[in-house]
Amino acid sequence: MSALLEVRDLSVRFNVGDAELNAVRSLSFDVSEGECLGVVGESGAGKSQAFLAALGLLADNARARGSVRYRGREILNAPRRELDALRGRRMAMVFQDPLSGLTPTARIGHQLEESARRHLGMNARQARGKALEMLETVRLPDPRRCLALYPFELSGGMRQRVMIALGMICEPDLLIADEPTTALDVTIQAQILRLLGELQRDANTSIVLITHDLSVAAAFSDRIMILYNGRLVESGTTHEVFRSPKHPYTAGLLASLPSLTIDPASDLPTIPGQPPDAMKSVQGCAFAERCKHAMDRCWSERPVLAAPGAQHAAACHLLSA
Amino acid sequence: MLAPMLAFTLRRLAVAIPTLLAIATASFFLMRAAPGGPFDTEADLDPEVLESLYRAYGLDQPLLEQYRIYLANVLKGDFGPSLVYEDFNVTELIAIGLPVSARLGVTAMLLALLFGGTCGIVAALRHNRLFDHATMTMAMTGIAIPSFVTAPILALFFGLYLKLLPVAGWNGGAAANMVLPVIALALPQLAIIARLMRGGMLEVLRANFVRTARAKGLPERQVVINHVLQSAAVPLVGYLGPALAGIMTGSLVIELIFDLPGIGRYFIQGALNRDYPLVMGIVIVYGALIILLNLLSDLAYAALDPRVRRTYR
Ligand SMILES: Nc1ncnc2c1ncn2[C@@H]1O[C@H](COP(=O)(O)OP(=O)(O)OP(=O)(O)O)[C@@H](O)[C@H]1O
Ligand code: SF4
Ligand SMILES: [Mg+2]
C-alpha cells in the first residue's frame, strides 16, 4: 500500500497572549490508501489540531511547521487556491461538533449541493439529486423533506449523519472523522460507525477516526496511533497494539477499558494523574509524572519512537533498556 | 411561510393601537404635570386676555374633560391647534416637517448602511491589518465628533470655501441642498454601523460552521457570502430600528445649522413653550414610527434567522 498522506515532523503552535502552546510536537505518520486509521488520545492530546493543520484549517493564532504530503505533493501551508481544489474533493473532514458545524442560516440541501456543484461540476438539478442520494446513503429518515430543513430542525444524530454526507458527497480519497460519535447515544454510535465502515468499503476511502475511546478505535480501525502531549507514543496494527501494548500509557488505556464482566457502574481503573499542560515543555518523557515504570533517564532524556515506520513502534525507554 | 408572517404582522399592528393610546395618555398627563403654561413667555398679558386664550383653546375645562376631547380628536386624526405657531394646526406642522426630516434621515441611513456596512465587512476580512486599523480609527473619530462640529465644518468648506454646494436652506428638497445635511447625519451612523458589522463578522468568522464551509473547498468569497453575512448582520438589525426612528424624527442641530424646515425644531420649540398639542402630536408620531420600525426589524430578524422565523408561527 502506498501512502496517501505522509506527515513528517509536524508541529502546531498557538500564540496565546505572550505565551506559546504546543499542540502538536514533531509528529510523523502515514495514512495508506484505503486503510482505516484510529487516532487515540486524551482531550488536548493534539488529535484534532494535527489534522486541521493538514487541511489548512487552523485558527488564526496557530502556526504549523513540518511537512504534509498528499500523494507526494506538499500541502502544508499551501496557497488557498490549491487547498480549495483538494478540500472537500480529495480530503474531507467530519467535524467534532455537529451542532455548531452546520451553517444555521442555510438549508441542509443547499449545504450539500454547494459541494457537489463546486467540485463535481453539477448543475442545480443534478446537485439536488446527488444531495438526496447522499442523505439516503447515510440513512436519514425522510431525506426528501430533510433537504428543505435547517440544521436546528434536526436531532444530534441526524446532524451527524448530514455531516458525514457532507464529507462523503464528492467521494474523497481521505475522510477524517473527528469524534463522529461522541455526542451520540450508544445505538446511534454503532450505526454511525457501521455507516463509516460501509462507505469506506464501497468507495475505497481511507478513513482517519479520531477518538478518545480506545474501544471505538479498536472496533473500527486497521491501525491505531496513540498521541500523548502532542506526540506519537505508540503506533501499530490494532491487533498488535491490543495484544502487546508497548507503551505504559497504552497499557494504562487498555486496563481502563470497561470489560464486559465488570459492572460499568463500579469504579473503573483509570490512569492516575492529569494530562500534561500543553503550555509547558518537558525535557524527558511527558508521561513520566504518571508512569509507574519511570526511571531517572525518563526525566532527562526524551524517548524516541523506536523503529518508526515499523509495524509496531513506541516511544519509551523501557524498550531500549 | 408567508401566511404566518402576515398573521404575525397583523397581530403586531393590532397591538400597536392600544400602545399608541397609552403613549397619548402618558404624554398628555406628563405635559400637564410639568410646571409652566403655554402663554408664560408673553409676560405681561392682561389676565382677562389670558383667560380668553385659555377658553379659546379649551384649557379652562377640567383636565379629564380636556383629555377626553383630545383623545376623541386624535382618533379622528386631528391633533388640535398649535399654541405657538398660531396659523397652523399640529397636523399641518407635522405634515410639513416630518417628510423633510424623514427624507433626510432615510437617505442618510441608506448611505451609512451602504458605506458603513462595506467598511465593516472589509475591515473584518482584513482583521488586524492596515485597512482594519485605519477604518476603526476613523470610525472611533466619527463617533466621537458630534454633528454640531462636523456640520459647520462641512458647510464652511464645501459651501463657503469651495462654493460647491449651498451653505444652507431646503429649496424644496433639491439634491444639492440635501448633500451636506445628509453627510453630517450619516457620518456618525456610518461609523457605528461599520463597527457593528465588523464585530458581527469577526464573531461569525470564528464559528465552526465557517470552518466547515472552508473544508468544503469553497473560495473565501463564497464562504463569506453564503455562510457568514446573514448571521453577521444580526447585531445590525437591532440597532437600525431605533436609530432610524431617531434620525427620521429630525435632528435639531442639523436643522438649525442648515436651516431646514424639519420636525426636530418644532418639537423643541413646542417643548420650550408648553405647546401641549404640538409636543403630544410629535410624541405620538414618534411612538408610531418606533412601533413600525420595531416591527420591521423583527421581520428582518426573521428574514435573517430561520430559528426566529419559527417562533413567529
Ligand atoms: N485556537 C486555539 N488557541 C489556543 N490553543 C488552542 C486553540 N485550539 C486548540 N488549542 C489547544 O491545543 C491543544 C490540542 O487541542 P486539540 O483540539 O488537538 O485536542 P484534541 O486531542 O482534539 O482533544 P479533544 O478530544 O478535546 O478534541 C489543546 O491544549 C487546546 O487547548
Ligand atoms: S519513557 Fe519512562 S516515563 Fe516515559 S513511558 Fe517509558 S518508562 Fe514511563
Ligand atoms: Mg478534538
Side-chain angles (χ1 to χ4, degrees), chain A:
Chain A
M1 276 195 292
S2 62
L4 187 63
L5 195 73
E6 291 171 278
V7 176
R8 292 292 172 272
D9 217 18
L10 176 68
S11 320
V12 177
R13 278 189 189 170
F14 288 98
N15 263 320
V16 276
D18 34 58
E20 283 214 319
L21 185 150
N22 290 278
V24 178
R25 306 172 196 241
S26 48
L27 184 63
S28 301
F29 64 91
D30 288 352
V31 182
S32 306
E33 203 104 40
E35 84 163 330
C36 183
L37 173 69
V39 178
V40 180
E42 284 165 308
S43 184
K47 307 183 292 294
S48 300
Q49 302 307 323
F51 288 91
L52 288 171
L55 288 179
L57 293 172
L58 290 172
D60 289 342
N61 60 336
R63 288 287 162 271
R65 296 238 181 93
S67 160
V68 176
R69 288 171 182 271
Y70 168 81
R71 292 191 191 281
R73 191 150 58 94
E74 181 62 49
I75 58 166
L76 190 67
N77 302 321
R80 176 70 183 257
R81 199 184 256 285
E82 280 177 38
L83 288 172
D84 282 347
L86 282 178
R87 298 198 286 217
R89 178 68 192 91
R90 304 285 172 200
M91 300 193 297
M93 189 153 175
V94 173
F95 292 97
Q96 199 161 356
D97 182 7
L99 299 164
S100 60
L102 292 166
T103 302
T105 52
R107 295 176 196 275
I108 300 298
H110 175 82
Q111 303 198 38
L112 289 164
E113 288 154 25
E114 217 176 16
S115 288
R117 298 186 67 167
R118 158 124 183 101
H119 292 298
L120 306 179
M122 290 181 165
N123 65 28
R125 216 169 45 82
Q126 291 165 323
R128 168 124 305 208
K130 182 76 187 168
L132 185 63
E133 182 194 315
M134 285 315 294
L135 291 186
E136 280 162 2
T137 310
V138 298
R139 299 208 198 87
L140 211 65
D142 204 353
R144 201 171 287 278
R145 194 179 74 94
C146 283
L147 287 175
L149 295 181
Y150 290 96
F152 77 97
E153 295 172 297
L154 304 182
S155 70
M158 288 163 86
R159 272 182 253 193
Q160 191 58 269
R161 281 163 202 259
V162 170
M163 279 297 251
I164 293 174
L166 202 56
M168 293 297 301
I169 192 164
C170 300
E171 293 178 11
D173 303 330
L174 174 65
L175 182 72
I176 300 155
D178 193 353
E179 312 261 12
T181 58
T182 310
L184 308 176
D185 67 55
V186 186
T187 20
I188 299 178
Q189 192 171 334
Q191 285 172 15
I192 300 262
L193 287 176
R194 206 169 320 125
L195 181 67
L196 280 173
E198 281 168 26
L199 292 171
Q200 183 212 2
R201 272 194 307 282
D202 298 348
N204 194 35
T205 303
S206 304
I207 294 194
V208 169
L209 179 72
I210 299 177
T211 174
H212 59 258
D213 186 341
L214 193 55
S215 58
V216 167
F220 188 75
S221 29
D222 313 318
R223 228 150 46 83
I224 286 184
M225 193 164 101
I226 308 226
L227 295 192
Y228 190 80
N229 190 223
R231 290 182 199 277
L232 185 60
V233 295
E234 179 155 4
S235 75
T237 61
T238 308
H239 183 70
E240 293 271 353
V241 170
F242 263 71
R243 201 189 48 159
S244 55
K246 290 188 173 178
H247 197 282
Y249 177 60
T250 314
L253 287 178
L254 282 173
S256 67
L257 283 182
S259 87
L260 294 175
T261 52
I262 302 178
D263 172 9
S266 73
D267 274 358
L268 299 171
T270 50
I271 304 173
Q274 291 295 311
D277 187 350
M279 304 280 287
K280 295 200 190 100
S281 286
V282 291
Q283 212 186 358
C285 173
F287 189 59
E289 281 181 12
R290 299 163 79 183
C291 181
K292 54 183 180 229
H293 306 292
M295 313 165 271
D296 287 349
R297 193 178 165 202
C298 301
W299 295 96
S300 54
E301 190 188 331
R302 180 177 309 127
V304 294
L305 202 68
Q311 283 284 358
H312 189 183
C316 172
H317 289 313
L318 287 176
L319 300 174
S320 56

Side-chain angles (χ1 to χ4, degrees), chain B residues 75-234:
Chain B
L75 287 176
K76 281 182 274 177
D78 175 10
F79 291 112
S82 167
L83 307 185
V84 182
Y85 299 91
E86 283 163 30
D87 298 332
F88 296 92
N89 68 37
V90 171
T91 313
E92 283 165 345
L93 286 176
I94 291 174
I96 298 168
L98 187 62
V100 173
S101 297
R103 196 158 143 200
L104 287 169
V106 170
T107 316
M109 217 47 159
L110 286 177
L111 208 68
L113 201 56
L114 185 66
F115 289 98
T118 313
C119 284
I121 292 169
V122 177
L125 294 176
R126 304 256 181 286
H127 185 37
N128 275 337
R129 290 198 289 211
L130 186 66
F131 183 89
D132 185 24
H133 293 305
T135 27
M136 283 310 113
T137 312
M138 288 199 297
M140 285 302 287
T141 324
I143 295 169
I145 302 181
S147 47
F148 64 77
V149 177
T150 42
I153 292 177
L154 284 171
L156 284 175
F157 188 72
F158 291 100
L160 285 180
Y161 180 69
L162 292 180
K163 297 196 196 314
L164 276 176
L165 295 160
V167 181
W170 179 236
N171 193 17
N177 289 67
M178 281 184 62
V179 174
L180 291 181
V182 161
I183 292 177
L185 279 171
L187 279 178
Q189 301 298 330
L190 191 154
I192 294 171
I193 289 170
R195 279 166 55 96
L196 280 171
M197 194 64 209
R198 173 180 176 271
M201 287 281 297
L202 287 180
E203 180 87 27
V204 176
L205 280 171
R206 271 195 296 269
N208 280 346
F209 58 80
V210 175
R211 194 178 54 191
T212 307
R214 288 183 182 139
K216 291 203 274 192
L218 302 180
E220 193 64 11
R221 194 189 154 77
Q222 201 176 340
V223 171
V224 170
I225 294 174
N226 289 355
H227 297 269
V228 177
L229 283 185
Q230 213 174 318
S231 308
V234 167

